[in-house]
């Protein structure tokens, strides 16, 4: 699998909290709840889609969820959605 060209955006094994409710379509629709705590697993890169995707596991129910960051967005953009726990 291709790793993202964006280095160390999230730290594997670390916990992040969703700042608000949002929905992301990365292959499937993933819903994040306000205050939901998620453990970051790994990142992927899709040159075809022009975006990096990030795999999390919800501490709430153990489901796998993905969040995507388009290449044309600044790296700091993630802070609009998540905060470090």
């Amino acid at each position: 699998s291709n790793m993202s060209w964006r280095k160390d955006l999230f730290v594997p094994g670390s916990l992040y909290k969703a700042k608000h409710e949002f929905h992301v379509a990365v292959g499937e629709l993933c819903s994040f709840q306000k205050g939901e705590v998620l453990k970051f697993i790994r990142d992927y890169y899709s040159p075809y889609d022009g975006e990096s995707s990030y795999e999390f596991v919800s501490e709430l129910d153990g489901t796998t969820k993905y969040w995507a960051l388009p290449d044309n967005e600044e790296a700091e953009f993630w802070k609009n959605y998540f905060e470090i726990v």
Side-chain angles (χ1 to χ4, degrees), residues 14-75:
S14 291
L15 299 177
Y16 297 84
K17 187 192 296 184
K19 288 185 169 182
H20 49 85
E21 181 179 329
F22 53 94
H23 307 277
V24 186
V26 183
E28 57 190 278
L29 185 66
C30 296
S31 298
F32 295 80
Q33 306 305 316
K34 181 178 181 178
E36 182 176 4
V37 175
L38 306 120
K39 181 186 291 181
F40 176 63
I41 307 299
R42 73 193 84 167
D43 62 40
Y44 303 91
Y45 182 66
S46 172
Y48 178 79
D49 295 317
E51 66 184 19
S52 299
S53 59
Y54 300 88
E55 180 181 334
F56 295 88
V57 171
S58 174
E59 296 282 290
L60 196 64
D61 57 11
T63 57
T64 297
K65 301 185 179 189
Y66 298 91
W67 181 77
L69 182 59
D71 285 351
N72 60 359
E73 290 286 359
E74 294 294 323

